[in-house]
Amino acid sequence: LVVEPQLARWRDEILRHTGVAPTLAGSGATWFLEGDITSGSGASGSSPELTDLAARGATIVRTHTVDAVRATG
């Protein structure tokens, strides 16, 4: 956050719009949220909160994980 102050702004925006505190990824360039916060009816299956963040310039990528046994068969 010291090197790139804009990260703090996005952290605060994500928290304000979703009510969920984001976690900074290990790369230091990406915030992520755990859990499903996309139950709304916004664009691309996103909640209105995420749609608003995207309109402000955020790139929203919805992902999911599966356990190793299921992933490898």
Side-chain angles (χ1 to χ4, degrees):
L1 298 177
V2 173
V3 174
E4 182 49 68
Q6 287 295 323
L7 284 170
R9 181 180 72 88
W10 281 111
R11 176 202 57 212
D12 297 345
E13 288 288 319
I14 293 166
L15 176 60
R16 186 170 71 81
H17 281 79
T18 66
V20 179
T23 301
L24 189 60
S27 67
T30 304
W31 290 109
F32 70 91
L33 300 172
E34 293 189 53
D36 185 5
I37 62 164
T38 59
S39 58
S41 59
S44 303
S46 295
S47 66
E49 294 83 3
L50 293 181
T51 301
D52 186 53
L53 285 171
R56 293 168 166 262
T59 300
I60 308 294
V61 179
R62 186 175 183 186
T63 64
H64 71 276
T65 58
V66 295
D67 62 71
V69 172
R70 190 166 146 196
T72 60

